[in-house]
Structure formats: structure tokens, C-alpha cells
Amino acid sequence: MSTARGQWLMFLDADDWVYASFLARLLAALKTAPDAVAAYCGSRRVMPDGAFTPSSIAPEVAIQPFETFARRCAIATHAVLVDRETIVELGGFDASLRTCEDWDLWQRVARLGKNWVMVDEPLAFYRASPNALSRNSTQMLADAGIVIARGFSPDPRVKRPGLAHANGATEATGRTASEALAWFALWNAASDCGCGGSSIDPQSLRALPAGRKWAREIAKVALDGLMVGSLSAPAHLAARWDRFGGALTALIIELGKVWGDPAAARRVQYHLEQMLLDADDLAAPRRLARTLGIRVDARNPTSTELPEGIDQIYAYLMMDGHIEAVVQFGVLGNVTRRHWIELILNLAPQK
């Protein structure tokens, strides 16, 4: 950084990459916003087997940069083009942090109150690795706690903060500090399950909201952590359930105990299992904790025997090798051929 002479900086690790158009696209965006301190784009993870995760981008960074970074690290390190003089003035990365140092830096940049401009394209690629520090759940949670606490307090390292951000984030505009840390702890715990561990104290999740409207969002965050921990793209997770499913289900059960609401935890479980099966081709039956994912021949369905503990069916209704419909329903006992026929007839277009 000390040898850089241009106006803009990007930070690119040796095993990551960006599209050839990255600089052109982000510089063009910065020209349209001359008061912006940074531009950012979408990113995708690349797993060791070469599989890509879906594109990820955070529009909220362009709307409320500081309030976003006070609570979470919303962008990949190398998905940003940032003003060099600003980084030098802020002192660069905090070397005392073993992880989350990019988050801490973006938070300080955002505290200045200047604009960030978004390029809504996945131009940055992050190679997931079994040796990545992001898989050290204990260190990640400790460092995240430091960064979030800084985000909700004055930061003497930022000499000229934006007036609205001088005293830190405001709870009126989003999650509290304890809630922000709980959401990060959830991601971290799911990642740990994906690695085959379970070192996160469920009590760290206590501040997560248990309401029905939050179940899908909690499942989405858990899914993202699971991808990183298991080094698996979504299309492969259901097939690899046996590697991490027990630990992940135990985590969700513990979450229900922390909430004092097992039914709320079951809703999270159902949403998570649906997301895994949505991404799967069901080339073989997928037995998860509570859901059985299968293909059913719509022309000649057969009875389905449910394994013990399964109370949800997720099925592709197949016709001539193509998916005609996707159905999901709760069930007790086996699903008979007659039931399948009635269901298929109800879904068939009326003539």
C-alpha cells in the first residue's frame, strides 16, 4: 500500500481473481459519482471442486454504508475499489485482528459519511479453501465482536467522521449490537457445523428473533455459513447431508431451547431443508432431518414409504424426464399411489 501511487486501491489475494472488466466497470461507476469514496461489485465463491456459489451483492451498502458495516461485513475484500488517500489517512488494516480486518477497514471508511457506488455484477471471485481463517470459528467470533463493538461506539482512529456516525451506529436504523453479533454467531455456527465441528455456544444466538417472519432469513444465513464450512455449493449440500446434518440439526434444536420455542426452531429447519432441496436435482432420494426429497413419475406413481422421523415430502413430479411441478407437503405415515394420483390430477391443467 505504501508503494501505490494511483488514486484507487484494490486488495486481491493471490488465489482470488476478478473479471477482466472489473476495473473498467468500477472506474466507470466512480466517474458517475465524483463524491464517492469507493465502488463495489457482486462476488461469488468458488469451491475446491470448481463449483460456483450464487452471486452475492448487498444493495444496502450503497444506501447506508456505515449502518451496514457497523453490523456485518457485506462485501468481499477484493470486490472494492477504494480511494487510496482515504485508506492511508485511516491507517490501513488493523494488524491486531487476525480475521475481520477488511470488515474493520470498510467500517472506518464508511464512518466518514461518503458515498459508496454499486456495480450490480458478480465481477469478483473468492476461492474457498480448507485452510482459510474464516473457518476458525472461535477467532472469527472474537474478532467480529470487536468490530461490531467499534461500530456502535465512537472510533478515535477516524479523525473526521461524518456527523451522523461520530458516536457509532444507531439502533433505530437496524439491528442492535447484540443482535448483529448473534446473526454473525449463527453464520459462524453453521460454518462450524459444515466443517464437522460444533464449538459455538448456543447462548450466543439468544438475541436472534424467533418470530415466524424471521425463520426463512435465519435459514438463509445458516445456509451461507454451511456452504463456507462444508466447502460445498448449494447444489451439492443435500447429497452431503450425512457429513453435517446431525450437527446442524442439533444446533437448530438448541436454538429452539434458547428461545423457549421448539416450534420456531422447526420452522427454521423446514425452511433450510427446502432451500437445500430447491438447489438439488434429486437424482437420488435425499433424506434430511425432517424432509424427504424425491422424484415421482407423474405417469406411474408408486407408494412412498417414509423413513422414521420424516414428516415432510418435497417432490419433483416428473414427466418424460422433465420436471412438471414441484410439490411440498406435510405427511404422517406413507404416501399411497392413490394419493399421488389425486395430487397429480389436481395439479394437471384443466381442459
Side-chain angles (χ1 to χ4, degrees):
M1 194 159 55
S2 61
T3 60
R5 294 293 179 265
Q7 181 180 357
W8 305 102
L9 287 176
M10 70 172 296
F11 303 102
L12 181 63
D13 290 340
D15 54 348
D16 299 330
W17 74 93
V18 295
Y19 266 153
S21 61
F22 172 89
L23 288 175
R25 297 288 292 115
L26 269 64
L27 286 171
L30 287 164
K31 282 186 178 180
T32 68
D35 59 340
V37 70
Y40 70 101
C41 66
S43 62
R44 299 180 73 179
R45 299 187 187 97
V46 185
M47 297 304 170
D49 62 3
F52 288 76
T53 64
S55 175
S56 173
I57 195 164
E60 59 269 30
V61 170
I63 301 168
Q64 289 188 312
F66 179 69
E67 295 294 339
T68 301
F69 287 120
R71 294 166 171 84
R72 69 187 188 98
C73 189
I75 51 180
T77 307
H78 62 298
V80 181
L81 206 55
V82 63
D83 180 66
R84 180 180 63 84
E85 290 185 0
T86 298
I87 298 298
V88 172
E89 178 184 330
L90 291 172
F93 293 106
D94 181 349
S96 71
L97 294 171
R98 288 192 62 203
T99 67
C100 303
E101 68 277 10
D102 53 341
W103 179 6
D104 175 75
L105 180 57
W106 304 146
Q107 187 188 99
R108 278 180 282 144
V109 173
R111 193 185 286 263
L112 297 171
K114 298 181 180 180
N115 290 333
W116 290 57
V117 60
M118 180 178 74
V119 175
D120 192 4
E121 298 179 58
L123 303 175
F125 298 84
Y126 171 78
R127 196 183 301 277
S129 165
N131 301 315
L133 281 173
S134 59
R135 287 161 59 86
N136 183 336
S137 58
T138 302
Q139 189 68 53
M140 285 281 285
L141 189 58
D143 289 342
I146 293 171
V147 176
I148 291 171
R150 287 171 173 173
F152 280 80
S153 307
D155 192 335
R157 301 172 300 169
V158 183
K159 306 302 182 185
R160 294 178 292 176
L163 184 62
H165 310 316
N167 293 318
T170 57
E171 294 184 357
T173 61
R175 298 166 181 165
T176 65
S178 60
E179 288 170 341
L181 186 57
W183 282 97
F184 185 87
L186 169 67
W187 184 93
N188 216 34
S191 176
D192 207 38
C193 290
C195 294
S198 55
S199 64
I200 299 296
D201 179 1
Q203 293 300 319
S204 65
L205 309 176
R206 180 174 292 278
L208 288 173
R212 183 181 297 270
K213 71 176 183 178
W214 291 103
R216 185 168 182 82
E217 186 63 26
I218 289 172
K220 284 174 63 178
V221 171
L223 173 61
D224 192 71
L226 184 63
M227 284 192 292
V228 172
S230 66
L231 300 174
S232 302
H236 301 150
L237 287 169
R240 297 172 182 174
W241 178 259
D242 287 348
R243 302 183 188 179
F244 51 76
L248 189 61
T249 300
L251 173 68
I252 294 172
I253 290 172
E254 288 299 316
L255 181 58
K257 292 178 181 177
V258 167
W259 283 335
D261 190 347
R266 284 196 298 274
R267 286 193 291 269
V268 172
Q269 185 85 35
Y270 286 132
H271 277 294
L272 178 61
E273 293 182 9
Q274 178 184 342
M275 291 174 187
L276 298 188
L277 294 171
D278 281 343
D280 197 280
D281 63 6
L282 299 185
R286 309 297 187 203
R287 177 183 174 177
L288 308 184
R290 308 190 70 96
T291 311
L292 178 66
I294 55 173
R295 290 185 177 191
V296 174
D297 183 351
R299 295 190 187 278
N300 186 29
T302 59
S303 297
T304 303
E305 295 186 8
L306 295 187
E308 184 178 354
I310 296 294
D311 57 15
Q312 192 86 354
I313 287 281
Y314 180 105
Y316 291 160
L317 301 183
M318 308 296 295
M319 188 90 65
D320 300 326
H322 300 288
I323 300 172
E324 287 295 308
V326 179
V327 295
Q328 185 171 10
F329 53 91
V331 62
L332 294 175
N334 297 334
V335 183
T336 65
R337 170 181 166 83
R338 179 177 178 179
H339 180 90
W340 282 120
I341 292 173
E342 291 176 353
L343 178 63
I344 292 164
L345 290 175
N346 286 335
L347 290 171
Q350 299 296 316
K351 295 183 179 179

